[in-house]
Amino acid sequence: MSPRPDVADHPPRILIVDDERANRELLKVMLTPEGFLPLTAASGEDALAMVAQQPPDLILLDIMMPGMDGYQVAAKLKGDLSTRNIPVIMVTALDDRNARMLGLSAGAEDFLTKPVDRAELCVRVRNLLRLKAFGDYHDKYSQMLEGEVVSRTAVLAERTKQAAVLTEQAALLDLAQDAIVVRDMDDRILFWSRGAEVLYGWLSREAIGRRTGELLRTEFSESAEKIEATLLRQGQWEGEAIHHKRDDTRVIVASRWALQRDAADAPRRVLTINNDITDRKRGDAERRLLTERLSLATAVAKIGVWEWDLASNTLTWDATMFDIYGLPPMVPMPFARWSAAIHPDDLPAVEATLQRAIHEKGQAAADFRVVLADGSFRRVSAVERVILDERGNVSRVIGVDMDVTERKEAAEALEQSRQAQIQFKDAFLSHVSHELRSPLTAIKQFSSILLSGVAGELNKEQHEYQQIVQRNIGQLQAMIDDLLEVTRLETGKLTVEPDRVSISDAVTDALDTLRGTARGKGITLSGDVPADLPLAYADQTRLRQILIILLDNAIKFTPDGGSVAIRARLLQQERSCLLLEVSDTGDGISPEVGERIFERLYQVSEPGTASRKGLGLGLYICKELVTRQGGRIWVESQPEKGSIFSFTLPVYSPKEPVRS
Amino acid sequence: MSNRKILIVEDDGDVRLGYHILLNAHHYDTFFTSDSLSAVSGARTHQADLMILDLGLPTGDGFVVLEKFRANADLAAIPIIVVSARDLHGNKERALEAGAKAYLQKPWDDDELLSIIGQLLGQPDLSVAPLG
């Protein structure tokens, strides 16, 4: 509201300054009837003091006064900001132009010349008062305007300051790598941090004003309504969401929302802070996948993983462990519950293994049986390793239990089947040899009857032919014997029982046995055994068997008229060994045959070896028998000159057990 | 003096005939049964001086016959020679333990068989030292 300049709310106060009392009274008399309130001052100094105390509305100022004159007073008044607007009328006797100029220069608004005309005085006073009123109004208005400007400037400054603070805070928010977004309740973006720009690829100026849901194509794991309800109810929400970047790639974010309410408690804005956890999630997923794969692998392989905490004496098992033991899951599990499940016959050894691993701070392995609730067994193979605490003491043992029931059963089944096969082969060969012997018996019987002449005398040819039959019966019989012998070797039925054996007796016996055969071929048989030869530690029956096979072979492969010899002596380099040699004057064996001659079913197939070869089992049986008596066998041969089969046997020493 | 009587328990006809020819040629009387059940009655009926016994017989193992002969006082004295196609291994020992005097594997050597028979019939006290 603006002041009204023409209405005074009090009688205008007019200060009359004159050193002449008469002049002051005169003016007073003139002004009072006009409704003015005249005040008087007798000097310039008094006047200034009165003005300072209470400023008048107008001053009538005499020029010529002792002390301060009118010009000085005027200059003083006009020089002071608080009094300059008070109109001053100079009253002077000097009616000249020079005096007026001085007065105006000093700041006086008007002049009156003495003697003062009453009418003129009143008009001039009134005019100046009116002017002053306008001046005052103008001043006040200006002041008001200025005040308003000032206050507005202050508001603006405050606002600028706040804006600066906000900008600063926003800059701080920008420092955060999180994507910080402020949006209104209409989902329009109000603030979009630098982190949001980086994460989503949208600049702040592009994002502001748009809806987050549309810009980021948000996907939540729970319904948007539920999230909204949570936000309104609790003032915040926390969860994961999927956002799309500007380039359409998906990011998984951990999102935190906070609701801001206004003074009236109405929802106003939502602050959201989003963290990119895509990589972490991928890592989590990969870890989870890895763990799943591992669990799958251990479950499929039936490998249970366990940990034994020594302090609490409890076990932590994975699911496979409970499967293997057929126990309901229990966490943690008392150690005793495990030991109760172990087969009592196996438990001491398993516990000893565990204790040893702890004692040695190492690892160990054990095989044992687990007894299931139904009384059946599971075969378990366990491997464990101790874990040391920071002081180097064993605090835990971790390990795996593998269910090897199927594997063991398969191995056992395989072994059983192998045994069954061997048994079958054994039974088969026993049966076959038995059945072969029966007709052979009849053949031999009747051939012998014919030869004996019981059925009538044979002529020379008939007799000779029957002898061929007899020789072949002998070979067939030997083959059947060899077949059974090999079967016994392989089924482990052939036992070697070493004892004190006289080599001399064994050699004599073998030579006696084959003397007839040798004589038939005109072969010289001889033996050379030193009288002081130590006793051998061997199985007498088996030694005889070896010697007969070697002699028989030697005779077989030696042409008529040749010689076969047995020689025995103490081995020079190894005095704990006896060496026996069977030498012949046969065709010899080619070097490439070498040791192969001792292989099973090996047959010498050289031209000139016209005689029957047999099954090729004799030397194999020899080698097996020699080896089982702690010796070795080999052959040295020179083609056309003959072969020497040599074997060793241990010398009997009193330390060896003697069979009664 | 009359011929000594040998009972032969053997299920193979050809082999039986072979025994018959051989033993008759050596002045033994031969009697035959082809199963284990009739061995005891055969030995009693013919008052056998010796028995040649096969192990694989239709109505029961030769070992059953050995047990029966040992269990009967009138038969226990009859020397028995087991002659079998079965493997020597295991069977010989078992047969001798069951009371057989000798064990021969088929096909046997006639000279050996005749020698054993001669020993067993000519010198009964040899039975304490089994032959074979």
Side-chain angles (χ1 to χ4, degrees):
Chain A
M1 101 190 232
S2 59
R4 287 182 53 189
D6 51 342
V7 175
D9 51 353
H10 59 87
R13 292 149 48 91
I14 311 296
L15 178 65
I16 302 156
V17 186
D18 200 312
D19 57 324
E20 296 278 340
R21 188 170 184 270
N23 290 342
R24 295 196 302 263
E25 287 304 319
L26 178 65
L27 288 171
K28 204 173 163 179
V29 170
M30 284 182 193
L31 291 170
T32 303
E34 296 297 321
F36 299 115
L37 178 63
L39 306 166
T40 55
S43 68
E45 288 81 2
D46 287 352
L48 287 174
M50 289 176 70
V51 167
Q53 202 171 3
Q54 190 176 10
D57 295 307
L58 190 142
I59 298 171
L60 291 169
L61 185 58
D62 183 29
I63 292 174
M64 300 304 292
M65 291 186 290
M68 287 182 77
D69 63 14
Y71 302 124
Q72 286 173 313
V73 173
K76 192 87 180 165
L77 287 169
K78 292 303 174 186
D80 188 332
L81 207 62
S82 63
T83 56
R84 64 189 295 175
N85 290 334
I86 304 170
V88 175
I89 299 171
M90 292 279 202
V91 184
T92 177
L94 307 168
D95 187 15
D96 59 62
R97 192 178 171 275
N98 195 33
R100 288 178 188 241
M101 280 309 293
L102 281 169
L104 287 173
S105 298
E109 273 78 17
D110 209 350
F111 290 90
L112 277 173
T113 309
K114 289 177 185 175
V116 175
D117 179 77
R118 195 191 60 91
E120 189 188 354
L121 169 74
C122 288
V123 169
R124 287 189 188 271
V125 167
R126 279 213 176 82
N127 282 345
L128 278 175
L129 281 174
R130 196 154 44 260
L131 278 170
K132 177 183 180 290
F134 275 110
D136 284 351
Y137 167 77
H138 175 261
D139 272 3
K140 278 185 184 167
Y141 192 65
S142 300
Q143 255 177 11
M144 191 190 75
L145 281 175
E146 267 175 37
E148 227 159 86
V149 166
V150 166
S151 77
R152 283 195 182 182
T153 305
V155 167
L156 281 173
E158 184 60 27
R159 283 188 186 166
T160 308
K161 203 169 133 194
Q162 281 175 359
V165 169
L166 280 176
T167 307
E168 206 169 297
Q169 283 170 351
L172 280 175
L173 292 179
D174 279 345
L175 284 179
Q177 295 190 338
D178 306 330
I180 301 169
V181 177
V182 179
R183 53 188 174 82
D184 64 15
M185 300 316 291
D186 191 28
D187 199 30
R188 300 259 178 210
I189 295 164
L190 301 171
F191 176 77
W192 185 259
S193 77
R194 179 92 192 102
E197 289 184 335
V198 171
L199 176 58
Y200 299 117
W202 296 100
L203 290 176
S204 172
R205 58 182 153 80
E206 295 169 319
I208 285 174
R210 296 186 63 176
R211 286 196 166 90
T212 54
E214 292 165 8
L215 188 68
L216 301 175
R217 282 175 288 145
T218 315
E219 295 166 21
F220 295 109
S221 50
E222 49 189 314
S223 79
E225 290 77 24
K226 248 174 105 179
I227 294 171
E228 198 75 16
T230 305
L231 181 68
L232 290 174
R233 194 174 59 250
Q234 301 180 348
Q236 58 185 32
W237 175 80
E238 212 173 312
E240 285 178 14
I242 293 167
H243 287 151
H244 291 79
K245 296 188 185 188
R246 185 176 203 154
D247 66 8
D248 220 35
T249 54
R250 285 155 58 98
V251 282
I252 305 170
V253 295
S255 196
R256 277 177 295 141
W257 295 7
L259 180 69
Q260 186 186 40
R261 290 176 183 274
D262 63 14
D265 207 31
R268 190 164 166 233
R269 292 188 290 204
V270 180
L271 170 73
T272 70
I273 301 173
N274 299 326
N275 272 302
D276 183 359
I277 56 166
T278 312
D279 288 349
R280 200 177 78 203
K281 291 297 275 191
R282 192 176 297 132
D284 285 352
E286 276 166 12
R287 259 194 305 283
R288 199 167 51 242
L289 203 61
L290 193 67
T291 309
E292 275 171 13
R293 280 189 198 131
L294 187 65
S295 319
L296 186 67
T298 53
V300 168
K302 293 188 181 172
I303 298 174
V305 183
W306 54 266
E307 183 177 314
W308 176 25
D309 183 71
L310 296 183
S312 63
N313 201 25
T314 56
L315 295 161
T316 306
W317 281 10
D318 74 350
T320 308
M321 282 296 288
F322 291 104
D323 281 351
I324 292 173
Y325 284 75
L327 292 172
M330 182 191 263
V331 178
M333 208 178 78
F335 186 81
R337 204 153 169 252
W338 167 78
S339 47
I342 306 305
H343 193 290
D345 293 350
D346 300 345
L347 187 61
V350 178
E351 285 189 322
T353 307
L354 271 171
Q355 289 306 327
R356 196 165 54 247
I358 292 167
H359 180 70
E360 291 169 359
K361 297 182 178 178
Q363 58 182 48
D367 287 347
F368 50 87
R369 285 165 292 174
V370 169
V371 184
L372 301 184
D374 64 3
S376 63
F377 299 144
R378 283 241 166 95
R379 312 291 199 109
V380 169
S381 189
V383 182
E384 59 255 354
R385 169 182 278 181
V386 303
I387 301 290
L388 304 178
D389 62 15
E390 60 279 0
R391 290 188 305 278
N393 297 320
V394 178
S395 61
R396 290 174 299 144
V397 182
I398 59 166
V400 290
D401 279 15
M402 286 161 276
D403 183 351
V404 292
T405 312
E406 286 173 20
R407 204 192 308 163
K408 290 247 181 187
E409 280 173 356
E412 281 168 5
L414 193 69
E415 178 58 22
Q416 275 173 7
S417 128
R418 206 176 72 85
Q419 288 297 336
Q421 270 185 337
I422 290 170
Q423 276 171 16
F424 172 76
K425 193 169 100 177
D426 187 26
F428 175 76
L429 285 172
S430 294
H431 179 74
V432 164
S433 61
H434 179 265
E435 293 309 310
L436 288 175
R437 273 178 182 143
S438 293
L440 194 62
T441 302
I443 293 166
K444 188 171 179 181
Q445 271 183 304
F446 286 94
S447 171
S448 300
I449 288 165
L450 289 176
L451 271 172
S452 70
V454 172
E457 282 303 316
L458 301 182
N459 64 31
K460 193 169 173 265
E461 283 83 5
Q462 286 169 333
H463 193 268
E464 193 184 323
Y465 300 161
Q466 281 304 327
Q467 278 181 328
I468 295 172
V469 171
Q470 286 283 313
R471 196 165 69 237
N472 281 276
I473 289 168
Q475 282 179 9
L476 199 53
Q477 209 174 334
M479 284 183 207
I480 294 168
D481 289 347
D482 282 357
L483 209 58
L484 280 167
E485 191 71 351
V486 168
T487 308
R488 277 195 293 270
L489 278 172
E490 289 179 355
T491 52
K493 281 187 183 167
L494 187 144
T495 52
V496 168
E497 291 163 348
D499 204 340
R500 284 175 297 188
V501 172
S502 157
I503 297 292
S504 181
D505 290 355
V507 167
T508 307
D509 184 26
L511 288 174
D512 287 348
T513 306
L514 285 156
R515 209 168 292 285
T517 317
R519 197 183 298 126
K521 285 186 79 179
I523 289 169
T524 313
L525 266 188
S526 63
D528 171 17
V529 181
D532 61 345
L533 195 73
L535 292 172
Y537 188 64
D539 183 318
Q540 186 162 11
T541 314
R542 299 306 172 196
L543 173 57
R544 183 175 177 273
Q545 200 179 346
I546 295 163
L547 289 172
I548 288 172
I549 291 169
L550 292 177
L551 281 175
D552 192 46
N553 267 346
I555 294 166
K556 199 189 291 177
F557 290 101
T558 298
D560 292 4
S563 64
V564 170
I566 301 183
R567 201 161 77 98
R569 56 191 159 90
L570 193 65
L571 204 61
Q572 287 308 307
Q573 51 270 51
E574 282 175 85
R575 298 194 66 85
S576 59
C577 272
L578 292 166
L579 176 72
L580 287 96
E581 291 172 349
V582 176
S583 57
D584 61 52
T585 57
D587 296 330
I589 302 156
S590 60
E592 51 266 31
V593 172
E595 293 297 306
R596 289 188 55 209
I597 202 165
F598 297 105
E599 286 174 12
R600 186 166 37 173
L601 303 181
Y602 184 81
Q603 290 175 319
V604 176
S605 56
E606 284 177 41
T609 55
S611 49
R612 286 291 162 76
K613 295 159 191 131
L615 287 176
L617 292 172
L619 288 175
Y620 168 72
I621 293 169
C622 273
K623 189 184 179 186
E624 287 295 314
L625 293 177
V626 167
T627 309
R628 284 165 202 229
Q629 293 180 84
R632 59 204 165 81
I633 187 167
W634 67 94
V635 63
E636 292 161 285
S637 184
Q638 281 185 308
E640 312 300 325
K641 289 195 172 175
S643 310
I644 304 172
F645 282 84
S646 310
F647 68 98
T648 62
L649 286 175
V651 169
Y652 168 77
S653 100
K655 284 180 296 207
E656 307 287 0
V658 176
R659 284 159 53 80
S660 55
Chain B
M1 103 179 219
S2 62
N3 289 341
R4 310 299 294 269
K5 287 171 280 202
I6 299 177
L7 176 66
I8 294 148
V9 188
E10 169 64 58
D11 62 325
D12 187 316
D14 290 346
V15 176
R16 283 205 299 266
L17 179 58
Y19 275 126
H20 177 68
I21 296 166
L22 175 74
L23 296 177
N24 278 354
H26 289 84
H27 313 292
Y28 295 109
D29 287 347
T30 51
F31 305 93
F32 297 91
T33 68
S34 58
D35 62 75
S36 57
L37 292 177
S38 47
V40 171
S41 59
R44 282 184 177 144
T45 306
H46 303 292
Q47 295 191 316
D49 296 305
L50 185 144
M51 181 167 69
I52 292 174
L53 176 67
D54 190 14
L55 285 180
L57 293 168
T59 49
D61 203 81
F63 288 109
V64 177
V65 180
L66 286 170
E67 290 300 324
K68 278 183 186 169
F69 272 64
R70 191 155 68 171
N72 285 283
D74 58 326
L75 303 174
I78 300 174
I80 300 169
I81 303 170
V82 170
V83 181
S84 172
R86 286 190 189 174
D87 195 5
L88 211 63
H89 197 80
N91 287 310
K92 181 179 175 180
E93 204 169 310
R94 192 178 157 201
L96 296 181
E97 276 174 9
K101 298 299 178 200
Y103 189 102
L104 282 177
Q105 192 177 41
K106 288 180 181 174
W108 65 87
D109 189 68
D110 283 351
D111 292 343
E112 195 179 3
L113 177 65
L114 292 170
S115 152
I116 292 168
I117 291 172
Q119 283 182 41
L120 289 174
L121 292 178
Q123 303 160 294
D125 54 312
L126 269 182
S127 60
V128 290
L131 300 166

